[in-house]
Amino acid sequence: MVMNLVTAFLIHMVVVFKLVRAGILDIPPANTVPTPISFSNYTVEWKDLDIILENAEYYRRFQYHLSQSNDTRPRTNAPHAVYDRLKSLADQALVKPLYTVTSKPFLPPSGDKRDLITYAPYWWPAPDCNANDNTNDCPYIRIDGKVNPDVYKLDDQRHLESVTLDSEILAMASVVFDDDVYSQKAADMLRYFFLNEETKMNPNFEYSQIIRGNGKTASHTGRSTGVIIARCLVGPIRAIKFLQLRNSYAWSHSDTAGMISWYKELHNWMIHDTLPIQESKSKNNHLTYFITTLITISDFIGDFRTIEDRVNTFFAYSLAEQIKVDGVQPIEEGRTLPYHYTTFNLDGLVYLAAFVSRSDPPLIENAWNRTGSSIVRAVNRLIDVARGNEGRIEPGADLSDADIAVRAVGMRYPELYCGKYHANQHRNDPYLNLWPLWTPRQLWYCFQ
């Protein structure tokens, strides 16, 4: 039976390849122009740990058979280039510093360096203000989609994103390559950023996306829109799960307990504080990522009631506001950077749908339907936009931003997308080039 499936799949791929060569299948060229759209490149991509474990076992079997072979001809040491990419990133992470939010040279308004602080990205000194902006004497105005380079002067969010990406890469590499050198570094990073009393980040985002200046718009404390940065905290949860699977000496039960305690404090803040409550009332991608982050944390700390309540409400009411029956995302397409925001929102929606469908598929049946206000319709619309048939694309947009959502839906409906959509494997962000690790092997070549 297995051999029949393998044979059928190989035949299918040969046919697809011939159709592509003949020009019958429409595969758009990859646009790799960097998109200056955000001070943050971090996005959430759904990753099934079971699939990653299967691909890790595939690597180990390959290595074993290689070691047992008497064939002396030159050959690769990995069954796919993605394993070399993972090792390269993990080796780079080994020599990186331990990140912290306490390294900033000034105190936040709270007086505690452990509080994360960021500036609102789209806010600029009013053009008619002649005051010296270094003294914060100008009123600030919002210019949607245009990032004020001052946001790069603060390292807190960059450090949060770095510990998120590198701890997950290291923990994943420790499982794939069966090497505790990686798990030790991942554990050190997590403990330094979240558990060490002197260097840990406080579990809140009270000072995220501050608006500076002296005008009426000035906040000098965080804003509800800054809560979206919490999406970066999905990665450390995955890193912890890898370390638990690894059963490494580098990560103890007390470490896990400490992280659960930290996330419980953040969870309590997200449920009860004014800023996240305001964020939870938004309609666009901010709501998507609020729910995505909240249910991931809820799952980690064991609060399943919150998951059920929030997900039921979101898919019963909010999804239809975000996606129309023709697949248009009206709120996102109305922005200055429509392509960026439609892809960004879809990444969160796909993650949310995949997360919940693991255990309770009927809960989000409408999300995966091929008709109505569904993610599938939105992905089809996005492909049409990327091909220039619908909508509009801002100058400099990277067309491969659609890849995450298309691949995720393609894994659910391979007959709709396999061989019919080209995913760029050479993105500017090397972390996103690891996608085959959380994709079933039989679909690795469907999107290229």
Side-chain angles (χ1 to χ4, degrees):
M1 178 63 178
V2 174
M3 288 302 299
N4 290 339
L5 290 174
V6 172
T7 302
F9 177 77
L10 291 174
I11 293 173
H12 168 78
M13 293 311 300
V14 170
V15 172
V16 167
F17 180 76
K18 290 181 177 179
L19 290 174
V20 171
R21 290 292 299 271
I24 297 174
L25 290 183
D26 180 18
I27 300 182
N31 181 345
T32 58
V33 177
T35 307
I37 45 93
S38 176
F39 62 107
S40 166
N41 290 323
Y42 185 80
T43 190
V44 171
E45 184 164 8
W46 171 247
K47 301 172 185 176
D48 190 317
L49 264 63
D50 289 336
I51 293 176
I52 296 175
L53 290 177
E54 289 175 6
N55 288 332
E57 179 61 24
Y58 177 59
Y59 175 83
R60 287 192 289 271
R61 289 200 309 268
F62 182 90
Q63 292 293 311
Y64 173 78
H65 291 303
L66 194 65
S67 68
Q68 299 299 307
S69 174
N70 293 321
D71 192 342
T72 58
R73 290 176 299 177
R75 64 181 69 199
T76 180
N77 290 323
H80 190 281
V82 70
Y83 296 100
D84 292 330
R85 293 182 203 137
L86 174 63
K87 192 172 190 315
S88 175
L89 286 172
D91 287 343
Q92 292 172 42
L94 281 176
V95 297
K96 289 183 180 179
L98 299 180
Y99 306 105
T100 175
V101 297
T102 63
S103 59
K104 49 183 170 284
F106 62 90
L107 290 174
S110 64
D112 189 345
K113 276 194 173 184
R114 295 175 299 180
D115 283 325
L116 176 143
I117 182 171
T118 67
Y119 294 150
Y122 298 148
W123 288 81
W124 294 74
D128 57 350
C129 178
N130 296 319
N132 181 357
D133 184 42
N134 290 330
T135 61
N136 253 346
D137 289 335
C138 289
Y140 273 56
I141 61 171
R142 184 174 187 271
I143 306 177
D144 186 34
K146 184 178 180 182
V147 177
N148 186 331
D150 279 0
V151 300
Y152 298 108
K153 295 178 181 179
L154 300 182
D155 289 329
D156 283 6
Q157 181 170 342
R158 189 177 302 113
H159 288 174
L160 172 59
E161 293 174 358
S162 295
V163 75
T164 291
L165 292 167
D166 287 332
S167 66
E168 183 178 345
I169 288 294
L170 287 161
M172 189 188 307
S174 74
V175 172
V176 173
F177 303 123
D178 193 24
D179 192 336
D180 272 335
V181 170
Y182 299 124
S183 55
Q184 181 65 63
K185 181 70 173 188
D188 290 344
M189 281 187 171
L190 292 172
R191 280 194 291 263
Y192 198 72
F193 196 92
F194 294 103
L195 298 180
N196 182 287
E197 191 60 34
E198 298 297 322
T199 58
K200 71 178 184 180
M201 172 186 161
N202 287 332
N204 65 70
F205 291 88
E206 288 288 350
Y207 301 100
S208 181
Q209 292 200 12
I210 286 177
I211 300 175
R212 294 164 292 159
N214 66 357
K216 294 180 180 179
T217 59
S219 62
H220 303 298
T221 57
R223 300 182 303 139
S224 61
T225 52
V227 178
I228 196 171
I229 301 173
R231 73 191 187 276
C232 298
L233 294 168
V234 170
I237 291 177
R238 282 196 290 246
I240 294 166
K241 291 183 177 180
F242 280 124
L243 291 174
Q244 290 176 309
L245 288 168
R246 172 74 183 149
N247 197 24
S248 169
Y249 65 83
W251 188 257
S252 67
H253 293 298
S254 62
D255 289 325
T256 299
M259 292 298 294
I260 290 174
S261 177
W262 191 94
Y263 274 97
K264 280 184 176 179
E265 288 189 55
L266 178 64
H267 188 271
N268 184 65
W269 181 83
M270 293 186 71
I271 294 291
H272 299 294
D273 192 85
T274 301
L275 293 181
I277 289 175
Q278 292 175 347
E279 180 78 336
S280 70
K281 296 177 181 178
S282 56
K283 304 286 187 182
N284 62 352
N285 63 80
H286 281 265
L287 174 62
T288 300
Y289 280 95
F290 178 82
I291 300 296
T292 293
T293 306
L294 182 61
I295 67 165
T296 304
I297 295 172
S298 299
D299 179 70
F300 182 57
I301 67 174
D303 181 3
F304 305 112
R305 178 63 181 271
T306 292
I307 297 175
E308 184 175 357
D309 290 347
R310 299 291 180 139
V311 170
N312 269 321
T313 300
F314 183 86
F315 283 105
Y317 304 104
S318 301
L319 186 68
E321 293 181 339
Q322 292 200 8
I323 302 174
K324 299 308 178 184
V325 293
D326 57 359
V328 172
Q329 299 178 64
I331 304 175
E332 310 301 346
E333 291 199 22
R335 297 289 297 274
T336 305
L337 304 172
Y339 190 77
H340 162 64
Y341 281 109
T342 53
T343 57
F344 181 62
N345 189 48
L346 261 181
D347 292 347
L349 289 174
V350 168
Y351 175 98
L352 181 57
F355 184 98
V356 182
S357 62
R358 294 177 310 165
S359 57
D360 196 355
L363 194 63
I364 54 166
E365 185 66 30
N366 60 326
W368 293 118
N369 284 343
R370 303 189 191 189
T371 60
S373 300
S374 72
I375 291 173
V376 178
R377 280 289 183 90
V379 166
N380 290 339
R381 160 80 178 182
L382 183 58
I383 292 174
D384 283 338
V385 172
R387 289 173 173 167
N389 299 328
E390 300 284 350
R392 61 190 178 93
I393 303 176
E394 60 272 15
D398 187 343
L399 298 186
S400 68
D401 282 348
D403 291 355
I404 292 176
V406 176
R407 284 198 306 265
V409 177
M411 282 191 280
R412 195 174 186 92
Y413 299 118
E415 71 278 10
L416 296 181
Y417 304 100
C418 183
K420 302 176 184 177
Y421 179 82
H422 177 88
N424 180 12
Q425 288 200 79
H426 303 286
R427 298 177 61 101
N428 298 308
D429 186 341
Y431 294 96
L432 295 178
N433 292 333
L434 297 176
W435 64 267
L437 285 173
W438 42 88
T439 304
R441 287 194 308 281
Q442 63 269 30
L443 299 180
W444 278 358
Y445 302 100
C446 282
F447 304 105
Q448 61 183 38

